Amino acid sequence: MATTVGTDLSRDRISNLADSTLVTILSRLCMDEAARCSILSSRWRHLFPSTLLNFRAFTRSGRNVVKAVTSILAAYPDEPVLSLRTGMLFFRPQDKAAVDVWLRDLSNRGIEELSLWFGFDEKRRPIPESLFACSSLRRLHVINGTFPDTTEAAAASLARLTKIELSDVRISQNSINSLLSQCTVLEHLTIKFTGRLDSLRLRSRSLKVLNSTGDFEKLVIDDAPNLERVVDKLMNQRKVHIEVVYAPKLEFLGYLGMSNEIGIGDTIFKGEIMRVETLMPRIKTLAVEMSYMKEGYTTWFMQLLRLFPHLETLYIKRDSSYMVEFTAPGSWEMRRPIPCILNHLEKVVFEVFRGHKWEMEMAKFFHRRSDFLKTMEFHCMDDKSKEDYGGPPSELWVRKQKKLLCLDGRAAEDALFQFFKRPLAENHHEHCDDERYQRDYYRDMYDV
């Protein structure tokens, strides 16, 4: 019996794993670690080229990535590469043409996913035009670069792209228009901090999601029959003018605020002019930034809600430029019926809740008026104490807020109040459908 146990303990369990499992393990290691592992045995050395199928170009130190990628691609010229994702890239003078060489090489290897992260010690390194040779690309992600000028003919070579993510990437308005018109299966477009553009005009029959940071004076949703979500946390702060001409499937829109001029058919929100005629019944989720120190903010808000008669979920973000408790005068009396409040609204989320007067009055308004309200979430933040500023408030404070909100005469008798120990995550709307994010979402909730 002892001999059997000893033999079992000494067995090389890793070597007994299938080749596919070992390749998966190697693929998840940094390049330098995977290279060291491949020296251990001839079998591991034989498996290393297979890791290039999903090539994770990272090193433990973060340096020498450019040199390592160039060397590995040259050493295994016949291996297919479906995905190349780099860590932060730092270039030596002799590496000037490295990315151009990679792209020309990858264009012949069936590359489908490309993620390039240029180091921030450089000023938005130009992306080589050899990108257009990668006609098999389906997903493109670039951080801190400059996109090449893109004609419609050039964009047509990237027609298989389904997802484009550009962050801190300079790109011209014409290049964006070319990509939208020629990438006919593009479903997801992210453009963040791309530099100020005059306008972004969405004409895409395939696009489903736009994720942006208000880097344009005007957003015109001109012809987007499959667009479902427009997520832009800075749209209000940058006073973007918004026009919706044709987007029959749009279900999420945000963030809207008093600084936005809005035109939807015959509906106009422009300064003190608020005329609601053309409605958007497909919108199920709305995100709003409240400028609670501006006179008339309650009137603006109630008029805005009339635009979305079938609204089910509402996110409330406080104007980040206001850190004080002062609230402009405003009435929460509903002078005219608001269809979504009376018939559809199920969930209200206060993304940052400090227990200020306007927040309490707004929460009471929903609690008293919403017949279908099921849940109100309060993502709490302490702003009373200099020592604990920004941290989670005490349970005693939370119990007090809950008691103040639980008043008689409410329409939604069974509505749940859920208090969380931190503000809503900045990237919530980008990851809210992710299973892991959903699993961890309620871990920071108060037990009150």
Side-chain angles (χ1 to χ4, degrees):
M1 183 70 178
T3 305
T4 303
V5 172
T7 303
D8 185 59
L9 289 174
S10 63
R11 185 182 302 159
D12 183 356
R13 296 182 181 276
I14 292 180
S15 294
N16 289 336
L17 296 174
D19 283 0
S20 59
T21 304
L22 291 175
V23 168
T24 300
I25 293 172
L26 283 171
S27 297
R28 294 181 181 274
L29 299 176
C30 295
M31 285 189 300
D32 44 358
E33 293 174 335
R36 284 196 293 271
C37 287
S38 67
I39 298 174
L40 294 176
S41 71
S42 58
R43 182 186 177 202
W44 284 64
R45 197 155 47 248
H46 169 71
L47 293 175
F48 178 75
S50 299
T51 66
L52 299 187
L53 195 65
N54 293 292
F55 191 1
R56 296 179 72 251
F58 300 81
T59 61
R60 179 65 64 184
S61 66
R63 295 283 174 177
N64 301 320
V65 174
V66 175
K67 180 182 178 182
V69 171
T70 301
S71 299
I72 291 172
L73 290 177
Y76 302 99
D78 300 321
E79 292 297 328
V81 180
L82 294 184
S83 170
L84 171 64
R85 290 171 288 169
T86 77
M88 192 177 293
L89 300 172
F90 298 95
F91 294 83
R92 303 168 300 170
Q94 59 267 42
D95 296 326
K96 185 177 181 181
V99 177
D100 181 51
V101 173
W102 300 351
L103 295 179
R104 293 182 187 281
D105 186 346
L106 293 170
S107 67
N108 297 315
R109 300 198 192 207
I111 185 74
E112 294 184 357
E113 180 179 10
L114 178 64
S115 178
L116 299 173
W117 183 4
F118 297 109
F120 289 103
D121 59 340
E122 304 210 15
K123 300 251 180 164
R124 294 186 173 85
R125 189 177 187 87
I127 303 167
E129 291 187 1
S130 48
L131 172 69
F132 301 127
C134 299
S135 58
S136 55
L137 265 184
R138 297 184 181 276
R139 294 173 296 280
L140 175 64
H141 180 208
V142 182
I143 299 176
N144 193 40
T146 299
F147 208 86
D149 288 336
T150 308
T151 63
E152 289 195 353
S157 65
L158 301 176
R160 294 187 181 183
L161 279 172
T162 61
K163 188 173 187 177
I164 300 175
E165 296 178 281
L166 305 177
S167 181
D168 283 298
V169 173
R170 288 287 178 263
I171 184 170
S172 71
Q173 195 166 310
N174 288 337
S175 294
I176 294 177
N177 292 339
S178 295
L179 290 168
L180 285 171
S181 68
Q182 298 301 311
C183 297
T184 54
V185 293
L186 182 66
E187 295 184 349
H188 190 126
L189 175 63
T190 296
I191 45 174
K192 294 185 175 182
F193 308 109
T194 56
R196 201 69 168 160
L197 304 171
D198 289 336
S199 67
L200 176 62
R201 187 174 292 271
L202 291 186
R203 289 176 178 164
S204 170
R205 304 193 68 79
S206 60
L207 193 67
K208 293 182 178 181
V209 178
L210 171 67
N211 198 329
S212 58
T213 49
D215 299 300
F216 29 80
E217 302 286 342
K218 180 186 290 188
L219 170 63
V220 182
I221 305 175
D222 205 0
D223 183 18
N226 288 297
L227 187 66
E228 298 172 359
R229 295 168 62 83
V230 174
V231 184
D232 191 321
K233 295 205 73 140
L234 299 179
M235 193 154 49
N236 174 53
Q237 295 177 32
R238 298 191 174 188
K239 303 180 180 180
V240 175
H241 175 90
I242 305 161
E243 290 183 24
V244 181
V245 179
Y246 186 65
K249 294 184 179 180
L250 189 61
E251 294 188 354
F252 180 99
L253 181 61
Y255 285 71
L256 301 183
M258 292 180 72
S259 298
N260 295 123
E261 292 183 6
I262 304 171
I264 301 171
D266 295 324
T267 292
I268 297 175
F269 278 72
K270 185 177 181 180
E272 295 183 0
I273 301 173
M274 292 176 283
R275 186 174 71 233
V276 178
E277 295 188 15
T278 303
L279 305 180
M280 297 194 72
R282 290 281 303 189
I283 294 286
K284 297 295 190 293
T285 305
L286 179 69
V288 176
E289 186 170 53
M290 294 299 295
S291 301
Y292 60 91
M293 290 181 66
K294 288 186 178 180
E295 188 174 347
Y297 78 98
T298 56
T299 302
W300 172 86
F301 177 70
M302 291 188 190
Q303 284 289 88
L304 185 71
L305 290 186
R306 290 192 176 91
L307 179 55
F308 310 106
H310 295 163
L311 191 69
E312 296 176 357
T313 303
L314 177 64
Y315 287 85
I316 307 296
K317 176 186 175 186
R318 33 185 313 136
D319 191 323
S320 59
S321 63
Y322 301 151
M323 303 301 291
V324 296
E325 192 170 348
F326 171 78
T327 305
S331 172
W332 287 100
E333 290 299 319
M334 193 165 61
R335 296 183 178 88
R336 292 171 51 200
I338 302 176
C340 69
I341 296 287
L342 299 176
N343 301 314
H344 294 282
L345 190 66
E346 297 181 355
K347 183 177 180 179
V348 177
V349 179
F350 288 86
E351 297 190 10
V352 180
F353 181 75
R354 294 186 173 111
H356 289 180
K357 180 182 176 182
W358 73 272
E359 294 171 316
M360 298 298 289
E361 290 180 347
M362 190 179 202
K364 291 176 184 177
F365 165 76
F366 287 121
H367 198 218
R368 288 169 176 164
R369 298 290 188 177
S370 304
D371 292 312
F372 289 83
L373 188 67
K374 295 179 180 178
T375 307
M376 275 204 288
E377 292 184 7
F378 302 89
H379 294 261
C380 302
M381 174 177 170
D382 189 321
D383 71 346
K384 305 295 183 185
S385 164
K386 289 184 178 179
E387 182 178 340
D388 299 322
Y389 183 84
S394 66
E395 282 198 12
L396 181 63
W397 181 89
V398 172
R399 291 182 187 278
K400 180 182 177 181
Q401 306 308 310
K402 189 173 183 179
K403 184 177 181 181
L404 290 171
L405 289 167
C406 292
L407 302 174
D408 293 332
R410 57 191 181 274
E413 294 184 2
D414 299 324
L416 294 175
F417 292 156
Q418 296 178 327
F419 291 84
F420 294 77
K421 297 179 181 179
R422 57 170 54 95
L424 189 72
E426 283 288 322
N427 57 0
H428 170 80
H429 299 298
E430 299 175 45
H431 300 289
C432 58
D433 294 328
D434 181 79
E435 289 185 11
R436 182 176 178 181
Y437 182 85
Q438 291 175 348
R439 195 166 56 246
D440 295 341
Y441 186 76
Y442 294 98
R443 287 186 177 178
D444 292 321
M445 198 164 68
Y446 286 93
D447 186 17
V448 294

